[in-house]
Structure formats: C-alpha cells, structure tokens
RNA sequence: GUCCCAGUAGCUCAGCUGGAUAGAGCAACGGACUUCUAAUCCGUAGGUCAGGGGUUCGAAUCCCUUCUGGGACGCCA
C-alpha cells in the first residue's frame, strides 16, 4: 500500500516537472530518479521528496522556486494526498487524508500469512550458503551466528520473491581430513593401551575419544591389525558420518533445514577441480612458480596471487572453492550469497576475482562477513565450555537460553558489529529481554482473542466493522507501522539485513504495548470494540509473520 | 608495513547508496496495577556522532588524515 502511494506520487511528480518545463517555469533538466521518503518528523508530512534540491544545480534555479513550480503543476487526483507544503530548503511535503492507513486493515486480514510477501525478487534463484563448519568438531558461536543469520536471510529473500536454496558445504577433503584421520588413529590406539602422543596439530577435543570408543563398541578393534592408511581412512569416514549427523541434528534443533549438503570431496572425485583449473589455464590466469600453480588474483584487484596447486601436486582449498562456486553458477543461481566469519575477509577479493576470471559477474557473488561473538555471563566474558573444554557449543547455548532467545540475539545486530551476547539477559524473563518483550505482545493479543471466545463472541469480519472509529494516536501509529511492513521486507532483502526485521518487531511490539496500556480493546462500545479487535488481530498477524522470518515462535500464552 | 571491520548517550547498539531538530533498549531518577497478562506503560535526564581537514545548498553518512580497539596477511582452511 505504501509502495503504491509512493509510486503514484513519483508518477505525479514526473508529470508535474514536465508540465512546469513546458510552461517555462523551470529550465529543462534531466530528471533524476524520484525518491519518495518518509520524513523522520511527523510535522513534515506523511511523505516527502527532495526532488527540488536535486534539480537545483542542473536547472540553475533556487530549490524553493522549483518546488513551487512543481507543486503548482501537481495533479493529485486519485491519490490520498490532502495537501502539499514546501518546507525547509525545498522539500515538498505530502500530507495525506487522515485515515488513509485504514486501507491496510482489509489487506492484512485478506492476505494473512502472505501479508508482506513481495515479488521484488522476480523469481530469481538465490543460493545462501552458511555455517559450512568443518565436520571434524562441534558448532561454536561463530557457526551459531552464521546459522541464525543465514537462515533468516534465506527466509526473508524467499518472502521477498526470490527462489531460495539453503546450502551447507561439507569440507570433507584435504589436509584437515588427513589430520583428522591421524588424530582418530592416535585416540584409537590409545584406547588399546598404546602410549602414543597426540600430534601437535591434531584434534585435541575430547569428543573424538567418544567417537573412537563408539567405533570400537560397534566394530571391535580389528583395525589395529590394518595398515595405517586403511585405519585412518576407515576411522575418518566413520567419524565424519557421525559428526555430520550430529551437526545436522543440532542445526535442526536450531530450526535450520538445508536444501543441499554439498561435499567438497565430490569436486575432487568428479574432476570438477581439474576442469576448472584447466579452464583458468586456457584463459591465461594460471602460471607456474617454484613448482606450484598460481592464480593471477592480482589481475582482478587482489593484493597478491594465490596458489591453487601445491608443489606436491595437491590442489589447495582455494582451488576447490573456485570449482565449488563455478558449480553454483552452473546450477543456475542468479545470485550466490556466502556467509563467512570476518577472519576470512582476505579470501573475498580473490574468490570474486576467480568468478570474474571464469566469465561470471563478480557481483553475482555476495559475501557477508560476520564479526566475532563474545559471550558474557555475570558481566564476565565466557570463553570455554564446561563440558568439552573447547569453545561453548551451539547445543550448550540452546540448552541454556533456549532457541528463540539465541536466534533473536544473533540477528538483532548488524553482521558488521562485534556481538556481545549476554547470557543472563537472554535467559531473563523480564522487560529487559527483547525476545520476551516481542513474544509477550503476541501472547497478549491471543489472550484478548481468547477472552472474546470465552464470552461466546467472535472476531468480526472486516466488512462488518467501521474503521473510522480508530482515531486515537496510538491506533494510527500502529496502523502506520503495519503498513510499513512490506517496505521493511524489501529493505531487509535488498540490504541483506535481517537485523532490520528484528528491529521492526521490537518497534511494533512497543507500539502495541503502548496502545494496550492506554486503551481497552473489549469495551461496552460495540462499534469501537469490533474495530479494535480487528486492529489487534492485524498486529498479531504481522508479529507472527515477522517472527517466523527470524525462525522464532509466536507463543499464544506465556 | 598493507588490507578489512568498528569507534554515535554511563552500557549495548540503530541510523551510513548525503536531507529538515541524531534515535532505541538497558542502567539512573519520578510516576501508573480493583482492569483484556505490570514479562507492561508514562515521564525526566543523558550527545564535541573518536580528533582534524575537505567536498556542497546540506555531512554521523562521501573523500583525505591522525588516533584507539578487533581481525586478516601460509604451497592452512
């Protein structure tokens, strides 16, 4: 609805400019894209445009003069505009008929779960790859933030009209798997009483001791007789399966479901890596130096070139990653989004450069970098997990604060900011806790609707109510916020910024609580009650839709 | 040394593809429950947008520079 009004105003302005130019009121100019914004100050109208200031330079006229000429030629028939004012340096402010926001009520009731759904994605295919943690261990806070962020972003993009696929890249090849195998072998032999030290670079986590014990329970100790290569390979494959299953379940408990689990090893097995390297070589972006093969990343704006095949003949992680991302585009995705920890930022330019080298649009690959997460408890920073001695795991976090709180806290901040995660706050059931604050708003509305049922009454149909009785400021503010929801979805999708939805939810909940405290919904005034019942039902719908996008529940009782 | 991110109220953070008087939550202080859930609300106070320079009608936002914090710079991933 808001977007429609904006489009209408922009079109009217466009015509007005042309009209003013024809009449000689304005010097002919190139008209820039007309942006209609919502003024921060209510006193500046419902919508405004800075058009006149933008035109001032090319028209060589004072902005206010331009604004006046444009305003005089505005034909606003068919728009809800009541009056137009020129203010400040040359803003054109639009004041709408009071009650224009009532139109959002039937819209929300009718569209219900689809209110806020957009088509700006135009059905383009987008892939969001996130978490992709090494399957050699447990999920830590960085992975957790990535999970919440990636899943929410995927949901938002889907809601905005993209066809979205969630993917997990399994790093099941290369050095780390060799290393993993060696570590498992050591633990295995230790179980048999052999006194072998764990290699310096090995996996020291205690979880793999359990893994090895589990293996022995199932398959016995026959591997002790096997050759080292077989032993390591067998243990690594066994452990990988176990770890992956575990990761999958942990993420499932966190509300994350993937469309695809993509194996790095499959790129080696299928020859995709070799083919990709051949293609780069044919295009002249590969050269040999000190027995290794290098990719000319510097030709694509990076600081230095990068090794793709080591002097021992084994391709690097980067080589696999190029083949992987090429594979993504070959699968037909129009846009590919990766979510990485900020410690990988050095990898961004060469990754995008490699796609450019292969003939893809480097900007079709978008990489979101997340800064670190720091856990706090009792004002003290928490570094270690009590159980594993490693970093606190996602499972432990969910166990402690619950899934909803965890997910909200991870997406409430911009990925760019270091996240201070206050465990005490996330657990607290008070107004300090934004998750409860928001969910409580939803529960309160459900409570009102329950109350209604207990009285043997029902929620009125939209066609039965008179929306014009909703004249309180708190009501109009709520309606305006509800009308803004689709715009907010568009912004969150375009800017890839789920934290905007978190913020929107908090704002909407705040407006509702404020309304709730000053006005009763169910009163003796039947007409007013009916209108307010439908209003709060609209709030319920939007809260529930937005909560859903962040993977949070919308409780009916608290 | 080079590069990336951040620096906004006491604290945690929005706002950053330039717009009008810089916002929110928490903490502080003062109020509101015989009510559809007080897990709530209302009010007060709180600012050199790290410092300096520039670009222009207009800068928290863009450019340059200095400082502070975090991170990356491997034939690891």
């Amino acid at each position: 609805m808001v977007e429609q009004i904006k489009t209408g105003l922009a079109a009217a302005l466009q015509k007005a400019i042309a009209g003013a130019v024809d009449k000689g009121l304005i010097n002919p100019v190139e008209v820039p894209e007309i942006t209609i914004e919502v003024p921060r100050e209510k006193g500046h109208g419902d919508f405004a445009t800075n058009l006149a200031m933008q035109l001032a330079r090319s028209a060589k006229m004072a902005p206010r003069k331009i604004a006046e000429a444009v305003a005089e030629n505005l034909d606003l028939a068919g728009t809800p505009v009541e009056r137009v004012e020129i203010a400040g340096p040359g803003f054109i402010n639009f004041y709408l008929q009071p009650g224009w926001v009532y139109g959002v009520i039937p819209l929300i009731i009718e569209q219900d779960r689809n209110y806020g759904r957009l088509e700006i994605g135009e059905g383009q295919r987008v892939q969001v790859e996130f978490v992709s943690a090494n399957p050699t261990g447990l999920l830590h806070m960085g992975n957790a933030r990535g999970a919440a962020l990636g899943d929410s972003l995927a949901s938002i993009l889907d809601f905005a009209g993209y066809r979205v696929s969630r993917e997990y890249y399994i790093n099941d090849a290369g050095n780390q798997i060799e290393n993993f195998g060696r570590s498992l072998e050591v633990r295995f032999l230790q179980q048999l009483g052999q006194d072998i030290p764990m290699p310096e670079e090995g996996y020291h986590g205690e979880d793999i001791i359990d893994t090895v014990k589990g293996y022995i329970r199932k398959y016995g100790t026959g591997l002790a007789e096997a050759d080292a290569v077989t032993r390591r390979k067998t243990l690594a494959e066994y452990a990988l399966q176990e770890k992956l299953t575990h990761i999958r379940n942990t993420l499932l408990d966190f509300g994350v479901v993937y469309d695809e689990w993509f194996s790095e090893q499959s790129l080696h097995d299928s020859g995709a890596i070799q083919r990709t390297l051949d293609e780069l070589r044919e295009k002249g972006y590969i050269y040999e130096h000190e027995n290794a093969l290098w990719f000319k990343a510097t030709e694509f704006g990076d600081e230095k070139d990068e090794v793709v095949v080591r002097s021992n003949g084994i391709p690097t992680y980067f080589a696999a990653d190029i083949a992987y991302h090429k594979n993504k585009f070959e699968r037909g995705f129009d846009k590919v989004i990766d979510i990485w920890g900020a410690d990988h930022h050095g990898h961004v330019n060469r990754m995008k450069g490699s796609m450019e080298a292969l003939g893809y649009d480097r900007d079709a690959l978008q990489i979101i970098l997340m800064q670190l997460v720091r856990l706090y408890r009792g004002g003290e920073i928490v570094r270690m997990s009590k159980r594993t001695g490693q970093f606190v795991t996602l499972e432990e976090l969910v166990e402690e604060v619950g899934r909803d709180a965890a997910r909200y806290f991870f997406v409430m901040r911009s990925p760019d900011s270091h996240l201070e995660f206050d465990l005490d706050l996330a657990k607290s059931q008070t107004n300090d806790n934004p998750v409860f604050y928001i969910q409580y708003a939803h529960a309160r509305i459900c409570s009102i609707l329950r109350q209604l049922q207990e009285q043997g009454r029902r929620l009125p149909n939209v066609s039965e109510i008179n929306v014009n009785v909703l004249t309180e400021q708190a009501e109009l503010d709520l309606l305006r916020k509800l009308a803004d929801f689709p715009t907010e979805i568009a912004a969150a999708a375009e800017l890839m910024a789920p934290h905007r939805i978190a913020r929107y939810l908090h704002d909407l909940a705040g407006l509702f609580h404020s309304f709730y405290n000053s006005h009763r919904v169910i009163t003796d005034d039947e007409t007013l009650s009916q209108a307010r019942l439908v209003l709060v039902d609209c709030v319920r719908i939007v809260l529930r839709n937005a909560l859903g996008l962040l993977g949070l529940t919308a409780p009916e009782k608290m």
Side-chain angles (χ1 to χ4, degrees):
Chain A
M1 189 173 77
V2 169
E3 290 309 311
Q4 272 176 10
I5 293 172
K6 283 187 182 177
T7 315
L9 288 176
L13 284 165
Q14 193 89 42
K15 273 190 194 164
I17 295 166
V21 169
D22 285 348
K23 291 182 191 167
L25 295 171
I26 302 180
N27 299 323
V29 285
E30 288 251 337
V31 182
E33 192 181 338
I34 297 176
T35 55
I36 308 290
E37 57 188 31
V38 177
R40 202 154 15 92
E41 288 292 319
K42 274 180 192 166
H44 293 140
D46 298 295
F47 295 97
T49 180
N50 62 351
L51 178 69
M53 277 102 84
Q54 290 184 317
L55 291 176
R57 184 181 295 257
S58 62
K60 297 195 172 68
M61 289 173 67
R64 285 196 70 111
K65 274 228 161 13
I66 298 174
E68 279 162 24
V70 172
E72 274 172 33
N73 284 277
L74 264 178
D75 175 14
L76 293 167
T79 71
V81 174
E82 187 176 66
R83 69 195 158 90
V84 177
E85 269 180 19
I86 293 158
F91 287 99
I92 301 175
N93 295 336
F94 299 95
Y95 296 79
L96 271 53
Q97 294 150 5
W100 67 276
V101 279
Y102 294 146
V104 79
I105 293 176
L107 211 59
I108 294 172
I109 296 296
E110 185 199 331
Q111 298 184 350
D112 200 355
R113 285 189 183 275
N114 285 318
Y115 177 67
R117 189 175 277 284
L118 306 173
E119 288 173 8
I120 58 171
E122 298 175 321
Q124 282 187 66
R125 295 188 58 203
V126 181
Q127 185 209 57
V128 185
E129 183 217 318
F130 56 104
V131 184
S132 300
N134 283 337
T136 50
L138 301 161
L139 297 175
H140 54 67
M141 288 306 105
N143 302 138
R145 187 178 192 180
L149 197 57
D151 190 52
S152 300
L153 177 60
S155 297
I156 290 165
L157 290 171
D158 177 272
F159 208 53
Y162 293 89
R163 287 154 64 199
V164 181
S165 179
R166 293 167 170 83
E167 184 152 316
Y168 188 114
Y169 182 51
I170 308 166
N171 302 123
D172 54 358
N175 270 346
Q176 54 172 356
I177 296 300
E178 297 286 317
N179 193 9
F180 191 44
R182 272 195 296 277
S183 301
L184 287 159
E185 178 184 38
V186 169
R187 292 302 191 202
F188 177 79
L189 295 174
Q190 283 175 347
Q191 284 299 309
L192 304 186
Q194 296 191 32
D195 184 20
I196 313 170
M198 179 62 91
E200 187 84 357
E201 297 289 302
Y203 289 87
H204 293 268
E206 292 185 13
D207 53 303
I208 67 169
I209 298 177
D210 291 337
T211 301
V212 168
K213 282 182 182 167
Y215 177 87
I216 293 172
R217 268 198 304 278
K218 256 186 179 162
Y219 301 106
T221 56
L223 270 186
E225 313 305 325
D227 63 287
V229 174
T230 308
R231 191 156 57 210
R232 289 172 191 170
K233 194 161 172 265
T234 308
L235 286 170
E237 277 174 11
Y238 171 83
L240 219 55
Q241 278 314 311
E242 181 185 286
K243 292 287 177 197
L244 265 179
T245 303
H246 188 78
I247 286 172
R248 195 189 302 249
N249 288 335
T250 303
L251 287 169
L252 207 58
D253 286 342
F254 201 48
V256 180
V257 180
Y258 284 93
D259 297 293
E260 190 78 40
W261 293 74
F262 193 98
S263 154
E264 177 187 357
Q265 185 60 47
S266 74
L267 294 165
H268 289 82
D269 297 344
S270 69
I273 295 173
Q274 193 53 53
R275 281 196 302 278
T276 304
L277 291 175
D278 290 346
E279 183 179 343
L280 284 171
R281 194 200 315 261
E282 278 163 30
K283 291 184 168 167
Y285 298 127
I286 299 280
Y287 64 92
E288 190 173 337
H289 175 67
E290 291 179 349
N291 289 326
L293 295 183
W294 298 68
F295 170 64
K296 293 184 184 173
T298 46
E299 288 204 11
F300 301 97
D302 209 351
E303 290 168 56
K304 55 191 181 61
D305 294 341
E306 187 71 18
V307 172
V308 284
V309 179
R310 289 182 272 254
S311 50
N312 62 10
I314 298 172
T316 61
Y317 167 88
F318 180 45
D321 232 8
I322 299 174
Y324 176 43
H325 284 79
K326 176 174 152 63
N327 174 285
K328 292 185 182 194
F329 285 113
E330 281 171 348
R331 277 186 271 161
F333 292 110
D334 300 295
K335 196 163 159 183
V336 167
I337 299 171
D338 290 357
I339 296 181
W340 296 350
D343 54 340
H344 288 67
H345 83 83
H347 193 52
V348 172
N349 255 330
R350 57 176 175 261
M351 198 65 242
K352 295 183 85 156
S354 71
M355 288 303 104
E356 192 179 344
L358 289 170
Y360 298 106
D361 174 6
R362 63 183 291 141
D363 292 325
L365 171 62
Q366 302 254 351
I367 292 158
I368 297 177
L369 296 177
M370 306 176 296
Q371 298 296 324
L372 296 174
V373 176
R374 272 190 291 256
L375 288 179
Y376 287 83
R377 184 188 281 122
E380 298 275 315
I381 191 160
V382 182
R383 291 184 189 282
M384 296 296 162
S385 152
K386 282 179 186 154
R387 198 173 70 206
T388 66
Q390 297 180 316
F391 288 101
V392 176
T393 66
L394 173 55
E395 290 169 273
E396 290 172 320
L397 180 77
V398 170
E399 201 175 300
E400 179 165 353
V401 307
R403 172 176 136 183
D404 285 348
R407 287 196 60 145
Y408 185 86
F409 272 61
F410 281 125
V411 295
M412 74 178 171
R413 303 289 181 226
S414 144
D416 277 342
S417 75
H418 293 261
L419 181 65
E420 297 216 357
F421 196 121
D422 185 336
L423 290 166
D424 300 322
L425 179 59
K427 273 186 295 189
S428 80
Q429 307 209 344
T430 68
N431 54 355
D432 318 359
N433 188 337
V435 185
F436 279 87
Y437 184 81
I438 295 162
Q439 292 183 322
Y440 184 45
H442 185 269
R444 267 183 154 174
I445 296 170
C446 292
S447 173
I448 295 171
L449 299 176
R450 268 198 306 277
Q451 190 82 13
L452 189 72
Q453 273 196 331
E454 283 163 16
Q455 294 178 13
R457 301 157 70 190
R458 63 174 183 85
L459 191 65
N461 202 293
V462 201
S463 57
E464 300 169 341
I465 63 166
N466 177 10
V467 291
N468 295 306
V469 297
L470 300 174
T471 54
E472 295 287 347
Q473 193 57 49
E475 294 165 338
L476 297 173
D477 288 347
L478 261 180
L479 285 166
R480 179 57 198 259
K481 197 72 187 175
L482 294 173
D484 279 339
F485 185 54
T487 309
E488 209 49 50
I489 297 295
E494 275 162 16
L495 301 171
M496 302 190 291
H499 68 277
R500 294 187 66 115
I501 300 303
R503 207 172 185 78
Y504 175 86
L505 268 168
H506 197 264
D507 290 348
L508 178 58
L511 288 174
F512 171 75
H513 286 309
S514 184
F515 160 79
Y516 181 92
N517 266 272
S518 47
H519 307 291
R520 286 191 63 85
V521 175
I522 301 175
T523 68
D524 295 338
D525 182 338
E526 188 61 21
T527 311
L528 187 61
S529 294
Q530 297 222 322
R532 283 186 176 164
L533 279 165
V534 174
L535 169 65
V536 298
D537 197 43
C538 287
V539 176
R540 178 188 64 80
I541 288 169
V542 175
L543 283 173
R544 182 249 279 142
N545 288 1
L547 282 166
L549 291 175
L550 301 187
L552 308 183
T553 58
E556 297 185 2
K557 260 186 199 169
M558 286 175 75

